[in-house]
Amino acid sequence: MIIKNIKSKIIGIGKTVLMPDESLPISKEIAESAAVKAYVRLGFVQLIEEKVEAPVAETVEETAEETTEAPKPAPKKAPAKAKAE
């Protein structure tokens, strides 16, 4: 869980100073303490639940055209011929 100071005043969480607009990871026990609950009720801080996301495997979709067709080479230009005078 993360606690974020959303006011312009410095607040203390235990022995830690939380500056304005800073966040701090805290345990569930600290989040449930009377002091933190009072800060939340007064609108000084915001508690943010950390979401644990499972890693997402990236997949690459290929069309049949991409897998069966070789890249086409660029057309070759004939060398320029000099005119004889």
Side-chain angles (χ1 to χ4, degrees):
M1 183 166 290
I2 296 174
I3 189 167
K4 181 175 182 180
N5 184 351
I6 57 175
K7 289 293 185 174
S8 60
K9 304 279 185 181
I10 299 170
I11 61 171
I13 306 292
K15 296 179 180 180
T16 305
V17 174
L18 192 57
M19 302 297 285
D21 203 37
E22 282 190 354
S23 299
L24 176 72
I26 59 171
S27 66
K28 186 176 180 179
E29 292 79 27
I30 293 174
E32 294 174 352
S33 71
V36 171
K37 287 181 180 181
Y39 283 150
V40 171
R41 274 194 313 272
L42 293 169
F44 293 168
V45 297
Q46 179 181 27
L47 292 177
I48 304 166
E49 294 284 334
E50 290 180 296
K51 295 180 183 177
V52 178
E53 296 182 16
V56 178
E58 291 185 28
T59 59
V60 177
E61 294 182 20
E62 295 180 0
T63 63
E65 198 173 281
E66 291 173 334
T67 57
T68 58
E69 206 173 288
K72 296 179 183 177
K76 294 183 180 180
K77 293 184 179 181
K81 293 183 181 179
K83 290 186 181 181
E85 290 185 32

